[in-house]
Amino acid sequence: MKIAKLSEAKDDLSRYVDYVRRGGSVRILLRGVPVADLVPIEATNASSRSAEQALADLERRSILRRGSGEAWEELLEAGPALRGRSAVEDVREEREKGW
């Protein structure tokens, strides 16, 4: 978030509006006290944006970084199979026995 005095914001309003249109925000100060925030208007219908646009927006704001390659094969394989009783059954037995 950028911070600007009211006089600066008045003099360079178009520059600050361009900054906000690109996703930034500006806090306006009057005599050193915050009085307003200039922020982008959110879309009223979130589903109107495509997933690609949403990812690009998150990436531009440094919230995520998309990978450039494919996932390792080991990550896509199933994990080890469970054997024996489930943890829920073990907890129930412990409660019944009063442990």
Side-chain angles (χ1 to χ4, degrees), residues 74-80:
E74 294 84 19
L75 292 176
L76 301 176
E77 293 175 3

Side-chain angles (χ1 to χ4, degrees), residues 32-47:
V33 178
V35 293
D37 286 334
L38 187 58
V39 296
I41 297 175
E42 296 294 326
T44 56
N45 185 0
S47 63

Side-chain angles (χ1 to χ4, degrees), residues 1-98:
M1 172 181 284
K2 287 189 175 185
I3 297 175
K5 297 177 185 176
L6 180 60
S7 59
E8 295 171 349
K10 288 191 315 186
D11 292 341
D12 294 324
L13 183 60
S14 60
R15 181 171 59 108
Y16 287 114
V17 169
D18 286 340
Y19 175 74
V20 170
R21 286 181 68 196
R22 291 190 309 268
S25 59
V26 180
R27 176 152 293 165
I28 309 294
L29 304 178
L30 178 62
R31 296 185 190 115
V33 178
V35 293
D37 286 334
L38 187 58
V39 296
I41 297 175
E42 296 294 326
T44 56
N45 185 0
S47 63
S48 65
R49 292 181 6 168
S50 72
E52 181 62 31
Q53 289 172 328
L55 287 173
D57 181 50
L58 292 171
E59 191 171 29
R60 181 182 45 73
R61 293 171 27 202
S62 299
I63 294 174
L64 69 82
R65 188 177 79 192
R66 290 190 261 188
S68 59
E70 294 184 18
W72 297 333
E73 289 297 322
E74 294 84 19
L75 292 176
L76 301 176
E77 293 175 3
L82 298 176
R83 295 185 183 151
R85 299 185 329 170
S86 71
V88 173
E89 292 171 344
D90 289 338
V91 170
R92 284 183 184 154
E93 181 182 330
E94 286 179 5
R95 287 184 180 171
E96 289 171 1
K97 291 182 178 181

